[in-house]
Amino acid sequence: GNSVTQMEGPVTLSEEAFLTINCTYTATGYPSLFWYVQYPGEGLQLLLKATKADDKGSNKGFEATYRKETTSFHLEKGSVQVSDSAVYFCALKETSGSRLTFGEGTQLTVNP
Amino acid sequence: GAVVSQHPSRVICKSGTSVKIECRSLDFQATTMFWYRQFPKQSLMLMATSNEGSKATYEQGVEKDKFLINHASLTLSTLTVTSAHPEDSSFYICSASRIDYEQYFGPGTRLTVT
């Protein structure tokens, strides 16, 4: 079956530091890949997505590239802010249907 | 576009009572809605998938008689937690999917059973 593995958290960084949150996946076919962000007490917001190999999703300074050869979709940001503190979820969706498979989530805390 | 709302955002109920949570897609027609449960510091656990006008499909281990799901229209799904107990206290999140299959998430409902 499908699975998503994220790097274990929590991750604590200082403001303006470089962020990487690793995500690898196992899937049949050609899934779409997503990063969601969850702020405290809220639902999930789509951060970025990529639908095919070598696509790069980007939003709000965050980027992730769909790497089929390494089955990875690592999230990066060059300079984090305190407001980026949240839980980040990597997820995949199969080619057909709507079902998502989520990773475990990574708690990010950015200190001033 | 693609806004999903949930109501209520927080609810406290007494043990043994039932509570209903609504999930609405505000600006699109959702052919499929999903209900998730999230425990503190954990990922989302899919409880069930519902398609408009048909019975929900429950994930293994989810009691369908306890968690009643109704998807009566293309913009509304409800989750009723029947005879709630303290162990049902959790954060419940719905999502809605439209024709292009991407899921859009609601803001969640915090249920506390006393």
Side-chain angles (χ1 to χ4, degrees):
Chain A
N2 299 334
S3 67
V4 176
T5 302
Q6 289 182 232
M7 68 183 289
E8 290 187 14
V11 174
T12 302
L13 297 173
S14 297
E15 206 165 23
E16 299 184 3
F18 185 86
L19 168 71
T20 299
I21 301 178
N22 290 337
C23 172
T24 57
Y25 68 90
T26 303
T28 55
Y30 303 94
S32 296
L33 301 174
F34 303 83
W35 277 101
Y36 289 90
V37 58
Q38 184 179 32
Y39 297 100
E42 298 184 11
L44 271 66
Q45 299 176 27
L46 178 64
L47 182 58
L48 53 84
K49 67 179 181 181
T51 58
K52 61 182 187 297
D54 299 326
D55 268 1
K56 176 186 283 188
S58 61
N59 185 26
K60 299 179 182 180
F62 291 90
E63 293 183 342
T65 301
Y66 189 147
R67 302 285 188 198
K68 188 168 176 61
E69 63 275 15
T70 54
T71 62
S72 65
F73 193 55
H74 304 322
L75 182 68
E76 296 182 338
K77 186 174 185 181
S79 176
V80 293
Q81 305 300 312
V82 172
S83 57
D84 294 327
S85 299
V87 180
Y88 293 81
F89 291 96
C90 184
L92 71 81
K93 186 185 78 65
E94 296 175 0
T95 306
S96 62
S98 308
R99 186 187 180 103
L100 288 170
T101 301
F102 285 95
E104 304 88 351
T106 301
Q107 172 76 57
L108 170 66
T109 301
V110 180
N111 295 317
Chain B
V3 178
V4 176
S5 70
Q6 279 184 245
H7 178 80
S9 58
R10 291 179 178 271
V11 57
I12 300 172
C13 71
K14 293 188 176 181
S15 187
T17 62
S18 296
V19 60
K20 179 184 288 187
I21 302 170
E22 292 186 349
C23 177
R24 294 181 183 273
S25 56
L26 298 184
D27 52 1
F28 66 99
Q29 293 187 326
T31 53
T32 305
M33 287 187 170
F34 302 82
W35 286 96
Y36 296 86
R37 183 174 180 176
Q38 186 179 33
F39 293 99
K41 300 187 185 302
Q42 294 190 23
S43 189
L44 280 71
M45 181 191 79
L46 180 64
M47 299 174 66
T49 303
S50 73
N51 294 300
E52 185 265 339
S54 61
K55 289 184 178 180
T57 301
Y58 290 81
E59 295 298 300
Q60 191 171 9
V62 178
E63 298 176 63
K64 61 181 180 181
D65 294 331
K66 180 168 188 60
F67 298 100
L68 301 179
I69 292 171
N70 182 276
H71 191 166
S73 76
L74 286 171
T75 59
L76 173 65
S77 177
T78 60
L79 167 67
T80 301
V81 182
T82 62
S83 186
H85 291 282
E87 58 265 29
D88 299 324
S89 299
S90 193
F91 193 54
Y92 292 88
I93 303 175
C94 75
S95 70
S97 174
R98 54 184 182 182
I99 200 76
D100 61 4
Y101 298 135
E102 186 169 327
Q103 287 188 36
Y104 299 92
F105 287 82
T109 297
R110 173 74 58 193
L111 170 64
T112 303
V113 184
T114 61

